[in-house]
C-alpha cells in the first residue's frame, strides 16, 4: 500500500479558511465536511488531519502527523513550554498575521517594559512571555489564563496582559494600550526532525515547491510597458524586485522597446508614476497565478 503524507490543519477558526485556500491553490483537491477528522486529498497521496490549532505542534512532534499549518505563536509556545525541540518552522506562509503584545491600562502606571518589574502579567503564552522577560532581565509574575485575558486588569487579576492583537479593537474596547511587541506571528508550515520514507519525502518535496510558488506569486506581478530605448537602464532600476527584464524591439518605432518583467515585490501607484516620469507608456500590471522556479 502506498504511503500517504499527513498534514495537520486547524478545522475551524482564524487559520482554517486561509489554510484550506492555500492548499487548494497548491492544487490539492479535497472537501471538508461535517465532523470528520480526516479529509482525503483525491488527486495526491495526502490526508489532512482536521484538529484544534493547539494540538497541531504536538501531533507533528509525536509523528501522528508529518507536517502542520499553525500560528507561529502556538508553535513557539509549544517549543518553549513543552520543550518540543524536534519541531521546526519550514516556511512562513504570510497569512493569519498578528502580534503578541504587552498591554496595560491607557494612561496607567505601566507604559514601558521596565515598568513591569515585580508586576503580574496575564497571558495564554507563559512560555513565550517568560523567555522574553528573561531576555530583557525583567522579573515579573506570569498569570496563565486560557481566554478572556483582556479582562484581567479590570478584575485585578493582573497589572498588565500579554495577548494577541490584530486590529487592536479588543484592547481599545477594554481601555488597554499595547506598549511592546513580544512576537510577530503569522501562519507557518512546521515539521519535525523525523525522517520521512522515500515515498512521503517525494510527495512532500512536490508540495513544498508548490507552496513556494504560491508564496512567491502572492506579492508578484507581471509588468509590461513601452519605453524609449535610452531609458531602459533607468526603468529597470525602478521595477521592484525584478532582476532582468525582457526587452523586445518594436517593429513600428526604432527608438521604442517593449519591456516585460516579473516583480517580486509590491507594485504601488507611486511605482507606476515613477515609471511614467521616466518615459514609460502603456503600462500594464498583471497578477501572476502560478510560479515555479
Ligand atoms: O478552536 P481552536 O483551538 O482551533 O482555535 P482558537 O480559538 O484557539 O484559535 P483562533 O481560531 O481564534 O486563532 C487561531 C490563530 O489565528 C491564532 O493562534 C493566531 O495565530 C491567529 N490570529 C490572528 C489570532 C488573531 N489574529 C486574533 N486577533 N488569534 C487570536 N486573536 C484574538 C486575540 O486573542 C484577541 O482576543 O482576537 C482578539 C484580538 O483581536 P483584535 O482584532 O481585536 O485586535
Ligand atoms: Zn486553539
Amino acid at each position: 500500500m502506498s504511503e500517504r503524507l499527513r498534514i495537520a490543519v486547524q478545522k475551524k477558526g482564524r487559520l482554517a479558511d486561509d489554510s484550506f485556500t492555500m492548499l487548494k491553490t497548491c492544487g490539492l483537491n479535497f472537501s471538508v465536511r461535517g465532523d470528520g477528522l480526516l479529509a482525503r486529498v483525491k488527486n495526491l497521496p495526502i490526508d489532512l488531519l482536521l484538529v484544534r490549532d493547539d494540538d497541531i505542534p504536538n501531533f507533528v512532534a509525536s509523528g501522528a502527523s508529518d507536517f502542520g499549518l499553525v500560528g507561529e505563536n502556538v508553535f513557539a509556545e509549544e517549543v518553549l513550554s513543552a520543550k518540543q525541540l524536534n519541531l521546526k518552522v519550514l516556511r512562513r506562509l504570510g497569512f493569519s498575521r498578528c502580534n503578541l503584545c504587552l498591554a496595560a491600562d491607557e494612561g496607567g502606571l505601566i507604559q514601558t517594559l521596565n515598568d513591569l518589574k515585580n508586576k503580574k502579567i496575564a497571558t495564554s503564552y507563559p512560555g513565550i512571555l517568560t523567555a522574553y522577560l528573561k531576555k530583557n532581565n525583567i522579573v515579573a509574575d506570569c498569570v496563565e489564563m486560557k481566554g478572556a485575558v483582556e479582562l484581567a486588569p479590570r478584575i485585578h487579576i493582573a497589572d498588565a496582559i500579554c495577548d494577541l492583537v490584530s486590529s487592536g479593537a479588543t484592547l481599545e474596547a477594554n481601555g488597554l494600550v499595547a506598549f511592546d511587541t513580544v512576537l510577530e506571528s503569522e501562519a507557518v508550515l512546521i515539521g519535525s526532525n523525523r525522517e520521512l520514507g522515500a515515498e512521503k519525502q517525494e510527495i512532500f518535496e512536490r508540495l513544498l515547491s508548490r507552496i513556494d510558488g504560491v508564496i512567491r506569486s502572492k506579492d508578484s506581478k507581471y509588468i509590461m510597458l513601452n519605453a524609449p530605448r535610452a531609458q531602459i537602464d533607468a526603468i529597470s532600476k525602478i521595477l521592484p524586485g525584478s532582476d532582468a527584464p525582457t526587452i523586445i524591439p518594436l517593429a513600428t518605432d526604432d527608438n521604442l522597446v517593449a519591456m516585460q518583467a516579473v516583480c517580486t515585490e509590491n507594485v504601488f501607484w507611486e511605482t507606476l508614476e515613477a515609471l511614467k516620469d521616466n518615459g514609460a507608456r502603456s503600462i500594464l500590471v498583471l497578477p501572476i497565478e502560478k510560479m515555479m522556479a
Side-chain angles (χ1 to χ4, degrees):
M1 202 184 82
S2 73
E3 282 203 274
R4 297 179 69 83
L5 194 74
R6 203 178 257 193
I7 305 172
V9 184
Q10 189 191 32
K11 184 181 177 70
K12 227 190 272 169
R14 286 184 163 92
L15 284 162
D17 285 349
D18 285 343
S19 300
F20 296 144
T21 302
M22 198 202 71
L23 293 170
K24 287 189 171 169
T25 312
C26 287
L28 274 58
N29 180 359
F30 60 91
S31 47
V32 178
R33 279 192 235 107
D35 288 334
L37 191 64
L38 271 189
R40 208 178 151 83
V41 175
K42 296 180 191 100
N43 55 338
L44 282 168
I46 300 176
D47 287 330
L48 305 181
L49 192 60
L50 306 170
V51 290
R52 292 195 58 171
D53 67 341
D54 316 74
D55 290 333
I56 292 174
N58 218 342
F59 281 148
V60 176
S62 69
S65 183
D66 300 305
F67 299 96
L69 304 184
V70 73
E72 198 177 357
N73 48 303
V74 171
F75 162 81
E77 182 60 26
E78 191 67 22
V79 169
L80 289 166
S81 62
K83 302 271 182 283
Q84 298 280 25
L85 299 178
N86 67 337
L87 291 177
K88 55 188 176 191
V89 169
L90 301 171
R91 290 294 184 275
R92 306 176 69 82
L93 302 172
F95 58 85
S96 296
R97 287 182 194 275
C98 56
N99 290 330
L100 184 62
C101 290
L102 285 161
D105 284 339
E106 187 174 9
L109 293 174
I110 301 175
Q111 301 204 357
T112 68
L113 194 54
N114 274 326
D115 298 336
L116 287 174
K117 282 183 178 150
N118 302 316
K119 296 284 196 277
K120 283 187 182 151
I121 311 164
T123 189
S124 308
Y125 296 90
I128 300 175
L129 177 60
T130 305
Y132 187 73
L133 293 173
K134 193 170 169 203
K135 189 180 93 189
N136 287 284
N137 293 317
I138 306 280
V139 177
D141 272 350
C142 288
V143 180
E144 187 173 351
M145 290 175 74
K146 294 288 180 204
V149 173
E150 66 278 4
L151 301 180
R154 206 191 308 162
I155 53 176
H156 306 295
I157 290 176
D159 307 294
I161 67 167
C162 175
D163 199 11
L164 296 176
V165 179
S166 54
S167 69
T170 304
L171 290 186
E172 200 181 327
N174 288 282
L176 300 167
V177 179
F179 57 87
D180 197 18
T181 300
V182 174
L183 177 79
E184 289 179 5
S185 179
E186 63 189 88
V188 288
L189 171 71
I190 61 168
S192 74
N193 293 334
R194 201 171 310 99
E195 290 264 319
L196 295 175
E199 258 178 80
K200 280 189 177 183
Q201 183 65 33
E202 195 193 321
I203 305 158
F204 176 64
E205 277 165 20
R206 264 179 89 184
L207 177 66
L208 196 60
S209 117
R210 292 186 188 189
I211 289 177
D212 285 339
V214 172
I215 295 170
R216 259 184 287 127
S217 64
K218 214 184 267 174
D219 282 333
S220 296
K221 295 279 182 281
Y222 198 74
I223 291 199
M224 300 166 74
L225 54 84
N226 289 345
R229 197 176 280 278
Q231 290 297 100
I232 291 175
D233 279 355
I235 286 178
S236 300
K237 283 190 190 120
I238 301 168
L239 293 171
S242 99
D243 19 71
T246 306
I247 316 248
I248 309 159
L250 287 185
T252 48
D253 190 336
D254 256 4
N255 296 319
L256 276 184
V257 291
M259 294 177 69
Q260 302 183 358
V262 172
C263 291
T264 54
E265 291 163 24
N266 250 323
V267 178
F268 298 104
W269 281 109
E270 288 76 3
T271 315
L272 300 195
E273 285 158 5
L275 289 169
K276 197 171 169 207
D277 288 346
N278 278 275
R281 292 293 179 270
S282 308
I283 309 168
L284 290 182
V285 181
L286 309 172
I288 293 174
E289 196 182 288
K290 294 188 177 70
M291 275 175 122
M292 192 167 275

